[in-house]
Amino acid sequence: FFLQSEEEAVYVYRLKGKTRNYMGIVACTDIEDFLQGRIKKHELTLVPKVQKQIELILRRQAAVKPVMLAYPQQPEIAAWIQEQMDRRKPFFNLRIKEEDTRHTFWKVTEPEALQYIRRRFLQDVPKTYIADGHHRTEATAHMYRLSRRKKMDKPYHRLLAAFFQEDQLDIQDFNRLVVRPDGFSESYFMARIAQLTDIQILDRARKPDKKYEVLMGLNGEWYMLRWKSWVLEQHAGMPALLDSFLLNRYVLEDLLDIQDVQNDERVSYVEGPKGFEGLFNKVNKLDDPISFCLYPVYMEEMFSLARADKTLPPKSTWFEPRMKNGLMVYGF
């Protein structure tokens, strides 16, 4: 079903989407880069999702989708990627008609070309940042630790990754639905929200226009919440102050008694590209939840937090492009 490469290679990858193209490099990297802090995480992971990824690795004995790693702009690497696309015939080309997307790979095997791109990353990209795949990375690291203790018969030392320069990525919003706690009082809740935010009543749902705005849906009504200045001033010294952090701290924890947002089943998530249709579909499956829609995180905020070894709350970002399972597979 899959063709196995008999030679060492990296793959230049391009995804043509409806509105733009994305270009990067698919290759394996050592999981030690993650354990030693050269691959930086920016989000907390959910324990059940890490366990699910471990189960999938054991069942498949393969990584079927690259972890997406972002890095700051590097003109030399960007030029190398473009050069490989210009001078080679595609190794693999697939159009997905239903999505109006095209996935193309160029295979690079020449030793001098591989040495050059390795050297560029060693010199110019001391750190990369996980854009998508925190749970897959944590699962691989866990398997690797077990193998070092001789509890696994395979090393699990390589991480299948797709490297994208920051201008080749788009960050979308990630929204939340929260099941109301027992004894929930709408009037008390709204009075407390009014202490934290300035509230604007909306005639219809619309996404936030800027940072520090949060759309809230309650009982079929929609409100735009804007954090009061005293709330923002409380956290002025943080490397980056995110709406997801403020929502978790002041609303989910203090008002809705959700103390462990990583594992509490009362919180569910809807990625921004699904739009309000996806949000409403999820609302209809739950028992009259409270909806929160957030403004997307900035790329530099993600980098700043990761460099400071800080993490975003779970499901704070949704990155485009989204690679497909099974196009490029690494067998353990």
Side-chain angles (χ1 to χ4, degrees):
F1 203 77
F2 291 95
L3 298 176
Q4 182 172 348
S5 177
E6 299 298 332
E7 53 194 346
E8 189 177 60
V10 300
Y11 298 84
V12 169
Y13 169 67
R14 181 184 68 199
L15 188 156
K16 281 192 171 182
K18 292 181 180 179
T19 58
R20 65 165 294 189
N21 299 337
Y22 306 90
M23 294 176 289
I25 298 172
V26 178
C28 285
T29 190
D30 199 303
I31 194 64
E32 282 285 354
D33 286 345
F34 173 66
L35 296 176
Q36 296 180 19
R38 291 187 290 270
I39 296 175
K40 308 291 287 186
K41 61 183 179 181
H42 72 269
E43 279 190 2
L44 298 173
T45 51
L46 304 169
V47 174
K49 288 184 176 292
V50 173
Q51 184 59 42
K52 178 66 174 178
Q53 290 300 322
I54 291 171
E55 293 169 3
L56 290 173
I57 289 173
L58 289 172
R59 187 164 75 228
R60 296 166 171 164
Q61 286 302 303
V64 303
K65 181 180 180 181
V67 169
M68 187 187 294
L69 300 179
Y71 60 93
Q73 288 185 259
Q74 294 295 335
E76 291 86 356
I77 294 177
W80 184 88
I81 290 173
Q82 187 63 54
E83 178 189 356
Q84 307 313 309
M85 294 167 56
D86 291 342
R87 63 185 290 258
R88 302 174 188 275
K89 292 183 179 180
F91 167 74
F92 180 75
N93 195 358
L94 173 70
R95 181 184 176 220
I96 300 179
K97 185 177 180 181
E98 296 79 9
E99 300 177 357
D100 193 20
T101 59
R102 183 175 292 277
H103 304 257
T104 307
F105 294 86
W106 291 262
K107 187 176 182 179
V108 182
T109 59
E110 297 89 344
E112 61 273 16
L114 298 181
Q115 290 170 9
Y116 175 83
I117 196 61
R118 284 197 186 104
R119 187 167 65 251
R120 287 264 67 91
F121 270 86
L122 283 170
Q123 293 177 0
D124 303 334
V125 188
K127 291 182 174 61
T128 58
Y129 304 83
I130 300 174
D132 177 60
H134 283 83
H135 295 94
R136 280 171 279 146
T137 305
E138 290 282 6
T140 304
H142 179 75
M143 302 291 286
Y144 172 68
R145 293 187 194 98
L146 291 177
S147 73
R148 288 196 304 187
R149 301 203 299 265
K150 310 300 183 184
K151 294 186 177 182
M152 290 285 170
D153 58 357
K154 295 182 179 181
Y156 298 103
H157 63 296
R158 287 184 175 174
L159 183 69
L160 180 63
F163 298 83
F164 286 91
Q165 189 171 272
E166 61 179 311
D167 66 344
Q168 296 297 309
L169 295 171
D170 295 323
I171 302 182
Q172 305 278 357
D173 49 312
F174 223 133
N175 306 312
R176 285 116 169 89
L177 297 174
V178 183
V179 176
R180 307 179 191 208
D182 294 337
F184 176 81
S185 167
E186 182 178 337
S187 58
Y188 175 77
F189 178 74
M190 290 300 295
R192 292 290 304 276
I193 286 287
Q195 295 176 339
L196 300 165
T197 67
D198 296 317
I199 302 174
Q200 177 187 355
I201 302 174
L202 304 178
D203 55 5
R204 59 181 177 82
R206 66 170 177 82
K207 290 196 174 184
D209 293 325
K210 57 187 177 181
K211 187 177 173 68
Y212 302 140
E213 288 188 346
V214 178
L215 175 71
M216 182 178 73
L218 178 64
N219 283 341
E221 301 292 337
W222 294 97
Y223 308 88
M224 189 61 70
L225 313 178
R226 296 178 178 88
W227 300 106
K228 289 185 179 293
S229 58
W230 72 264
V231 175
L232 303 179
E233 290 165 3
Q234 291 286 316
H235 307 281
M238 294 181 66
L241 181 56
L242 307 180
D243 288 300
S244 54
F245 168 82
L246 295 171
L247 183 71
N248 285 357
R249 168 67 177 82
Y250 290 101
V251 179
L252 301 193
E253 291 181 16
D254 290 356
L255 302 188
L256 298 175
D257 195 30
I258 295 174
Q259 304 303 317
D260 183 6
V261 70
Q262 285 183 265
N263 301 301
D264 199 308
E265 295 182 353
R266 289 175 293 170
V267 183
S268 55
Y269 302 89
V270 180
E271 55 269 31
K274 289 187 175 180
F276 285 118
E277 181 181 356
L279 187 72
F280 295 152
N281 288 339
K282 189 83 170 182
V283 166
N284 293 334
K285 295 177 182 178
L286 299 172
D287 185 18
D288 198 18
I290 308 172
S291 309
F292 297 100
C293 300
L294 310 181
Y295 190 75
V297 172
Y298 295 122
M299 185 75 70
E300 185 51 42
E301 290 179 318
M302 184 196 79
F303 286 166
S304 295
L305 286 166
R307 284 194 294 265
D309 291 322
K310 305 293 184 182
T311 54
L312 283 70
K315 304 298 184 183
S316 292
T317 55
W318 176 272
F319 280 88
E320 298 283 349
R322 309 297 290 190
M323 295 188 69
K324 290 294 183 183
N325 288 9
L327 291 185
M328 188 67 64
V329 169
Y330 175 71
F332 291 106

